[in-house]
Amino acid sequence: MALVKIENLTYYYPGTEKPALDRINLSIPEGQFVLVIGGSGSGKSSLLRVIAGLIPGFYGGKYGGRVYLDGTELRELDKRSLVQKVGIVFQDPEAQMVMTGVEQEIAFGLENLGLPPKLMRRRVMEVTEALSLTGSLSRFIPELSGGEKQKVALASVLAMQPEVLLLDEPTSQLDPVAGEEILTMVRRLNEENDITVVLIEQRLERCFHLADRVLVMDE
Ligand code: ADP
Ligand code: MG
């Protein structure tokens, strides 16, 4: 069975006449690493927002069709299950930061789930090591570079151990070496832990070789 299934989805942002997504049908099996490409404004970010349950919930607008996660319609899932199953890293990492300290930011989602402190610390340690952020745990987020903020945003999502990882141009502000490193790490998580990944990337040379499948959005 498909982990993510989208049936005949059409979506209009509030006050718009042209659909951002037009009759999308898509089935993603568990463990697949999907790369999404396409021109600017073709709907890549909107597709990720749908899978994250943010459309239409957070954005409003007109919506037709159905989206299933693991057989359950997304709109029937409660928020708590949704944030545990699906993690999203936005194009602009600042848009998702809620705390001012790196460690607090990475632990924030886990704290909201009410995880025991010991387990929480272990999860934070694991992701900070994997992303070479251990030395930055006590830093102040406004002082980080764009690339460092992207890593912190990714760390806070990975700490939740989601089943589906949605990444919207997650390496746009990183240099080529750091960008490649991050994507290789995501591929490893995908292979070892069977995490399903949907990745939007402009720089194909960084990720084409990592993907099981490539989706092209047209207009
Ligand atoms: P991409 O990520 O491929 O650049 P988007 O999903 O951001 O494309 O955008 C698809 C379409 O939806 C574009 O026409 C864009 O202008 C429009 N759009 C995106 N976000 C919003 C929003 N918050 N409100 C209104 N229109 C939006
Ligand atoms: Mg986009």
Side-chain angles (χ1 to χ4, degrees), residues 3-102:
L3 185 60
V4 177
K5 191 166 172 62
I6 300 179
E7 282 177 0
N8 222 16
L9 176 81
T10 295
Y11 173 67
Y12 296 80
Y13 283 99
T16 58
E17 312 257 287
K18 191 176 167 281
L21 297 166
D22 191 5
R23 287 161 294 167
I24 304 286
N25 286 286
L26 174 65
S27 205
I28 303 175
E30 185 180 358
Q32 197 164 59
F33 191 122
V34 180
L35 171 63
V36 182
I37 61 173
S40 172
S42 60
K44 303 182 297 297
S45 295
S46 302
L47 180 69
L48 251 53
R49 290 172 189 151
V50 165
I51 302 173
L54 296 167
I55 284 179
F58 181 77
Y59 286 87
K62 280 188 293 180
Y63 179 98
R66 284 171 200 278
V67 182
Y68 299 91
L69 184 66
D70 225 351
T72 306
E73 244 197 288
L74 260 195
R75 53 186 144 194
E76 278 164 20
L77 276 176
D78 60 287
K79 281 262 147 35
R80 191 186 162 90
S81 326
L82 189 61
V83 298
Q84 288 184 86
K85 284 173 189 278
V86 184
I88 181 165
V89 177
F90 296 112
Q91 205 164 346
D92 169 15
E94 257 166 17
Q96 71 192 103
M97 303 273 176
V98 285
M99 305 299 277
T100 49
V102 170

Side-chain angles (χ1 to χ4, degrees), residues 35-37 201-209 214:
L35 171 63
V36 182
I37 61 173
E201 259 292 350
Q202 300 286 351
R203 293 172 234 208
L204 292 186
E205 72 280 5
R206 285 188 186 175
C207 53
F208 201 75
H209 59 290
V214 180

